[in-house]
Each structure stands twice: as C-alpha cells, then as structure tokens.
Amino acid sequence: MLTLGALAELESAFASDDLVALAERFASGRLSARDLVHIIGAGLRGAGETISDDEVAAMTVDGGAAGYVRIAAELIAATFEDTSAPTA
C-alpha cells in the first residue's frame, strides 16, 4: 500500500491536483515506463528504502515489463480499492 507521503510524491510527479485526479490517472490504465518507475520508487521509499528513481529504473524483475506492471498495479490496487464494501 502506498503511504500518504508516497501519494504526495506521486501527486507532485504527475502534477495532480489531488488524490481523485491521481486515482483517475491510474484508472485510465495508460502508464508509461517512467510512470512505473515513479510508482514503484514512491512505494519503496514509503516503505523506508533509500532509493532513487534512477536506481529503480536500473532494477530488473521477474517477468520483465509485465513484472513491473504487476508491482505497480498491486500497489495502486492496495491503495485505492475499496475494501470496506461487503462481498457476495
């Protein structure tokens, strides 16, 4: 889950006015490689890692590009999905 600090960092990186605009950007499903670097980097820094976006960009993950998308999607889902709604 992205911390409040990570969300503030992403608002700045994506020039979003608020969390709603940030969520709408993510919901569009159109993320660039640079977007993935920002999201994963913010998530890692929010978890206490001291890592730059350049270091994140140099990382490799299992699954290649799909692996990066999976990581970012899981961070976004854990942050913005409404888990309070009753399930069937």
Side-chain angles (χ1 to χ4, degrees):
M1 182 176 296
L2 295 167
T3 64
L4 188 58
L7 290 169
E9 181 180 333
L10 291 173
E11 282 178 344
S12 177
F14 297 133
S16 297
D17 291 332
D18 54 38
L19 286 176
V20 172
L22 191 63
E24 288 172 349
R25 178 184 174 100
F26 294 153
S28 76
R30 297 181 55 107
L31 297 174
S32 68
R34 181 170 298 185
D35 293 345
L36 297 175
V37 167
H38 286 310
I39 294 165
I40 294 168
L44 288 168
R45 287 185 289 277
E49 295 295 322
T50 304
I51 191 166
S52 70
D53 280 349
D54 288 339
E55 291 170 311
V56 172
M59 295 171 67
T60 60
V61 298
D62 291 339
Y68 296 110
V69 171
R70 179 188 51 76
I71 292 166
E74 287 176 3
L75 282 169
I76 293 166
T79 302
F80 289 102
E81 284 185 351
D82 183 5
T83 59
S84 65
T87 57

